[in-house]
Amino acid sequence: QVQLVESGGGLVQAGGSLRLSCAASGRTFSSVGMGWFRQAPGKEREFVAGISWSGIITYYADSVKGRFTISRDNAKNTVYLQMNSLKPEDTAVYYCAAATTTMATKKIYEYNYWGQGTQVTVSS
């Protein structure tokens, strides 16, 4: 079993940066893919970024490509999301998730453990 706790959210002006962290407990962290999702009010939860167990393979949603970077430190059981050039449309609750596979994946149904979420608000 994996428990996930996100941190690093907050209020930032458009063009600014934030770094989200997701601390994981459980022996399986280093062997599973990890992902970040987000959910804005009134919208469905959507994929943001994913990373394979090794950190070598990453995927991004088109809306964040070139602005966000996902990374992981298996020695610290932590996955990160560096968010630069933030836009008001990035405002959402951001969730960290652990996949059922070792690979990076965009498919929400391939994630079986979720954090409680952290709020990111970007003002214009």
Side-chain angles (χ1 to χ4, degrees):
Q1 190 167 353
V2 178
Q3 293 182 324
L4 306 171
V5 179
E6 302 97 334
S7 61
L11 174 64
V12 63
Q13 289 188 333
S17 297
L18 282 174
R19 189 195 196 200
L20 305 184
S21 298
C22 173
S25 63
R27 297 177 296 172
T28 61
F29 172 82
S30 61
S31 63
V32 298
M34 297 293 295
W36 287 96
F37 290 75
R38 67 186 181 187
Q39 189 167 18
K43 295 188 177 182
E44 293 187 352
R45 192 170 298 188
E46 64 176 0
F47 171 81
V48 174
I51 188 167
S52 63
W53 70 275
S54 63
I56 294 175
I57 300 172
T58 57
Y59 289 131
Y60 296 93
D62 288 343
S63 59
V64 307
K65 203 170 292 184
R67 300 189 297 122
F68 290 10
T69 302
I70 188 172
S71 61
R72 67 189 296 163
D73 184 338
N74 287 343
K76 295 183 178 179
N77 276 15
T78 302
V79 63
Y80 305 97
L81 185 67
Q82 178 67 43
M83 306 186 294
N84 298 329
S85 303
L86 282 161
K87 304 175 181 179
E89 51 263 44
D90 294 318
T91 295
V93 177
Y94 283 71
Y95 297 91
C96 170
T100 59
T101 173
T102 59
M103 300 304 296
T105 176
K106 302 178 181 180
K107 300 172 183 175
I108 193 168
Y109 59 82
E110 292 189 337
Y111 290 86
N112 58 344
Y113 293 107
W114 294 84
Q116 83 289 348
T118 185
Q119 177 70 46
V120 171
T121 303
V122 184
S123 63
S124 58

